[in-house]
Amino acid sequence: MQLDQSDRIVLKGLHVYAYVGVLPQERVKGQNFYLDLALYQGYSRAGLTDDIDHTVSYAEVALLAKQVVAQSSRQLLEALAEDLAREILAAYPRLYCVDVTIHKPEAPIETEFSDVTYSIRRYRTYPVRLGLGSNLGDRRAYIQAAVESLKAHPQIYHLRQSRIFESKAWGLEDQGDFLNAVVACETSLTPWDLLHLCQDLEEAAQRERKVHWGPRTLDVDILSYGNLRSTDPDLLLPHPYREERNFVQLPLYELDHPSLERIPDMHEFSSPTQALLVVDCQHDFISGSLACQHSEEAVRSIVAYINAHPDLQVAYSLDWHSPQNGSFKKNGGIWPDHCVQDTPGAELDSAFTSQVKNPAQRPGPLTNFYKGRDDQVEEYSAYAAKRADGKAVHEVLAKHVTVVGLASEYCVRESILALAQAGFTVDVYLPGVGYVDEEDHLKNIADLKDQGFRVFS
């Protein structure tokens, strides 16, 4: 599937008076510039629906382009063109490519000429994960042929492939075993064009769609497309079953942990999220004295995640301080009073009791673990938090743990590092994490990724 040169909106001769140039008189007096812009989106859906929500407003693009150029203090056309392409792609997520041509007919050249132009084409690329599977015919050959086709595609970049794993069929079990793999890549294709490419690969493998979840020569699923979320029945993103399928999670895990000396086999990888540790989702961290950003959204995401995984082991950590705790400002510490034991501010958000469907996953004597009880110890990590019977959380958690909660830069981070140091495999479910400072949160997440932790949405 090549970039369709005709499938674009073109704005020509857009006039702007600007002060761009190397010479002082250009930057003081200014001159006339003219812009040609080609906007690539994949407009077939707009053509079918006749709905402006499925296209881009070229009138808005024209106004944005004029503003960028008119306010620019650049000296070179090359830099101005990069600014213009970047601003247009940032403002219009539907666009996957833009051509920018800048005309400078009044350039200070001491000879007769008609125009000076500079042109660039810039693509938007997105990180993508694709799942491939086959249980008919030469299974490995079908998968490898699809991978080679993806590698050869002009709008697929930096492709990495996992190993190929064998697994039992999922959904409809009375059929042959599958071979599965995952590829990670970047693409400038739109989500819909990528979907069509996946369907083309399936057709090339002569796939027949007779039974839902039935045998197939090739299955190519879009697991994720950047951070895009789509509820369109034809293109659900992220893939709704990716967290439930070991044959997807294991190759994803391999791609996300390339430095590991050994990746577990399928039979060892019984569940990608065997345990969920919910860190300090208490009222004082949500709406009280130490309220975190994104805390309410995090709680909603955690509850939804638990309900989507009814067999998941869940543990809740709670800050549980005495009024004399040394971390409080009144006692010489740096924090305001918070999560004082047996006060409303120390209670877990009620959503975990009222909205979690499986009673075994709700807060209670077997799932609540308390930390910060020693007045002289600043205890951020939940690793040693203990429940009423004296059991520490690390003694009861499954060895593969997903961590969520509050706050990213403090208790969440320290819990992750402590668990990993003790030999746990630790993931982070990003929508379920709140933070004190957004910049520090982003730095923390970037650092965790650099250390090899899987951070997923």
Side-chain angles (χ1 to χ4, degrees):
M1 190 183 302
Q2 302 290 331
L3 175 64
D4 186 346
Q5 300 296 322
S6 64
D7 194 13
R8 66 195 190 276
I9 290 175
V10 179
L11 285 164
K12 287 190 174 183
L14 183 64
H15 173 247
V16 189
Y17 197 86
Y19 301 84
V20 174
V22 174
L23 300 180
Q25 63 265 32
E26 295 181 285
R27 303 170 69 80
V28 173
K29 294 183 178 180
Q31 59 191 294
N32 293 302
F33 291 83
Y34 297 88
L35 312 175
D36 298 337
L37 306 173
L39 312 173
Y40 297 87
Q41 178 192 300
Y43 295 97
S44 58
R45 198 175 185 199
L48 292 171
T49 63
D50 196 28
D51 187 341
I52 194 171
D53 288 338
H54 294 157
T55 187
V56 63
S57 169
Y58 45 82
E60 291 181 4
V61 175
L63 292 175
L64 173 63
K66 291 192 67 169
Q67 181 183 34
V68 170
V69 175
Q71 296 179 355
S72 178
S73 59
R74 293 293 198 176
Q75 297 185 57
L76 301 179
L77 294 182
E78 293 91 324
L80 178 61
E82 293 289 350
D83 290 346
L84 192 51
R86 183 176 58 253
E87 292 293 333
I88 291 173
L89 288 174
Y92 298 94
R94 288 183 176 276
L95 297 177
Y96 62 87
C97 177
V98 60
D99 292 339
V100 174
T101 298
I102 303 177
H103 298 260
K104 190 177 181 181
E106 300 169 6
I109 300 175
E110 294 182 1
T111 187
E112 187 176 347
F113 71 100
S114 62
D115 199 2
V116 172
T117 67
Y118 177 69
S119 299
I120 63 171
R121 168 174 292 171
R122 294 295 179 260
Y123 291 97
R124 181 198 309 281
T125 61
Y126 296 91
V128 167
R129 303 294 177 93
L130 303 176
L132 299 91
S134 173
N135 76 333
L136 285 179
D138 192 339
R139 302 173 297 168
R140 188 174 297 270
Y142 282 128
I143 290 174
Q144 286 303 145
V147 171
E148 292 305 315
S149 295
L150 289 168
K151 286 181 179 179
H153 195 282
Q155 289 175 256
I156 300 289
Y157 317 99
H158 312 303
L159 185 143
R160 296 182 297 121
Q161 177 191 347
S162 74
R163 288 184 297 163
I164 295 177
F165 297 87
E166 188 165 22
S167 66
K168 297 296 183 183
W170 189 95
L172 186 63
E173 298 180 359
D174 187 18
Q175 56 181 306
D177 292 348
F178 273 81
L179 292 184
N180 295 96
V182 168
V183 297
C185 60
E186 295 180 15
T187 185
S188 55
L189 292 169
T190 68
W192 286 96
D193 285 339
L194 181 61
L195 176 63
H196 295 153
L197 173 59
C198 294
Q199 293 169 342
D200 289 345
L201 295 174
E202 292 173 345
E203 287 185 16
Q206 300 180 323
R207 172 176 174 171
E208 296 181 353
R209 300 176 184 274
K210 294 181 178 180
V211 179
H212 187 47
W213 287 332
R216 68 216 80 164
T217 56
L218 182 67
D219 190 23
V220 185
D221 289 331
I222 304 175
L223 304 176
S224 62
Y225 183 100
N227 294 321
L228 180 64
R229 294 185 176 275
S230 170
T231 57
D232 190 306
D234 294 327
L235 186 62
L236 294 170
L237 291 172
H239 194 287
Y241 299 115
R242 67 175 186 164
E243 299 296 336
E244 301 176 24
R245 298 174 174 178
N246 293 339
F247 59 80
V248 171
Q249 286 297 320
L250 180 52
L252 276 174
Y253 187 82
E254 180 182 68
L255 288 173
D256 287 338
H257 297 80
S259 62
L260 290 185
E261 293 183 3
R262 191 185 75 85
I263 301 296
D265 292 325
M266 186 69 71
H267 73 275
E268 298 177 86
F269 206 80
S270 59
S271 171
T273 50
Q274 295 179 4
L276 182 74
L277 176 59
V278 182
V279 177
D280 300 358
C281 287
Q282 297 159 268
H283 289 311
D284 275 344
F285 294 124
I286 297 171
S287 58
S289 57
L290 275 174
C292 297
Q293 299 184 61
H294 193 73
S295 57
E296 294 180 354
E297 296 89 342
V299 169
R300 288 196 294 268
S301 296
I302 296 168
V303 170
Y305 188 83
I306 294 172
N307 286 335
H309 300 83
D311 297 325
L312 189 67
Q313 179 192 18
V314 179
Y316 301 87
S317 76
L318 297 89
D319 259 8
W320 203 252
H321 303 313
S322 82
Q324 290 75 43
N325 190 272
S327 72
F328 294 167
K329 288 182 179 178
K330 68 181 183 182
N331 300 324
I334 63 172
W335 302 112
D337 288 16
H338 63 277
C339 299
V340 175
Q341 57 194 30
D342 298 317
T343 65
E347 294 178 2
L348 289 168
D349 191 285
S350 61
F352 296 112
T353 300
S354 63
Q355 297 177 25
V356 170
K357 297 176 183 178
N358 183 352
Q361 295 177 308
R362 297 171 187 164
L366 296 179
T367 56
N368 289 359
F369 295 79
Y370 302 89
K371 63 187 180 71
R373 287 181 154 180
D374 187 333
D375 291 339
Q376 306 308 314
V377 177
E378 187 76 86
E379 189 176 15
Y380 291 119
S381 169
Y383 176 80
K386 293 183 178 181
R387 64 189 183 192
D389 64 3
K391 282 283 188 180
V393 70
H394 67 85
E395 296 178 295
V396 301
L397 281 179
K399 285 298 182 180
H400 193 137
V401 185
T402 293
V403 178
V404 292
L406 311 172
S408 168
E409 317 95 303
Y410 296 98
C411 297
V412 170
R413 175 182 174 83
E414 295 303 321
S415 298
I416 291 167
L417 296 177
L419 287 165
Q421 182 68 27
F424 287 78
T425 298
V426 187
D427 300 331
V428 186
Y429 179 54
L430 193 56
V433 176
Y435 45 87
V436 175
D437 179 85
E438 185 171 14
E439 183 176 350
D440 289 343
H441 160 64
L442 294 175
K443 289 179 180 178
N444 175 47
I445 295 301
D447 179 65
L448 292 174
K449 288 181 178 179
D450 287 342
Q451 293 189 51
F453 293 102
R454 186 173 78 100
V455 179
F456 67 99
S457 300

